[in-house]
Amino acid sequence: MKKLIAVFAVALLSVASMFAFDLSGVKGTWQDAKWDADWTFGADGTIVLTKTSTGEAVYTFSEANVSNFKVNAGADGVTISFKCAETERAYSFTKPLSLNADLKMTVNPDWSDEDYNTTIKFKK
C-alpha cells in the first residue's frame, strides 16, 4: 500500500511540475463582470487582462513579470497562483472539481488585508 501511495505522489508531483512553467495547455477567456474585466489565458503562456467593454489591454502577465508561479492540485481543484510586483498583487485562479468551466479568482493586494474573491465566468 505504501508503494502505491508513493507512486501516486510522484506521479502527481511530476504532472504538477510539468505545468509549473507552462500555461500553454490552459486557453480561454473568463469574464469578471463586476470590474469590466476579461482574463485571457493564451496559448503562448501569457495571461492578458483586458477591459470587456473596449477590448483594451490593461496588463499582460508573463514569465518576465511574475514570481512564485505555482500549480497546485487539491481537494478544491487545481489552482494556478503567482505574484506580480509591478501590480502589487498576488493572484490565484482555481478550477473546482466540477463540469462547470468557471474559475474562482482571488486577488490579494499588497497594501490591504482584504482580498477580492469572485467567480469569473467562462466566455470562450
Side-chain angles (χ1 to χ4, degrees):
M1 184 67 167
K2 288 182 183 181
K3 287 182 182 180
L4 181 61
I5 292 171
V7 169
F8 179 76
V10 169
L12 183 61
L13 289 172
S14 297
V15 169
S17 65
M18 282 191 324
F19 294 105
F21 302 105
D22 184 14
L23 278 176
S24 61
V26 180
K27 298 177 196 119
T29 299
W30 285 262
Q31 182 180 22
D32 179 355
K34 180 177 180 181
W35 289 102
D36 186 35
D38 282 348
W39 293 85
T40 301
F41 290 71
D44 60 356
T46 61
I47 301 172
V48 180
L49 173 61
T50 58
K51 288 187 176 183
T52 304
S53 58
T54 64
E56 172 191 354
V58 176
Y59 196 82
T60 300
F61 299 92
S62 69
E63 187 175 334
N65 59 17
V66 302
S67 60
N68 298 335
F69 183 86
K70 297 177 187 169
V71 177
N72 294 311
D76 293 336
V78 177
T79 300
I80 295 171
S81 61
F82 58 89
K83 172 106 174 93
C84 180
E86 192 171 319
T87 63
E88 299 178 333
R89 294 169 176 86
Y91 303 85
S92 70
F93 300 88
T94 301
K95 169 58 180 94
L97 299 173
S98 71
L99 296 178
N100 189 330
D102 299 341
L103 300 176
K104 292 183 179 181
M105 179 179 73
T106 299
V107 179
N108 179 354
D110 292 348
W111 63 89
S112 172
D113 290 334
E114 192 171 323
D115 294 349
Y116 173 64
N117 294 293
T118 192
T119 298
I120 53 179
K121 302 292 183 184
F122 182 70
K123 283 180 67 173
K124 56 180 178 167

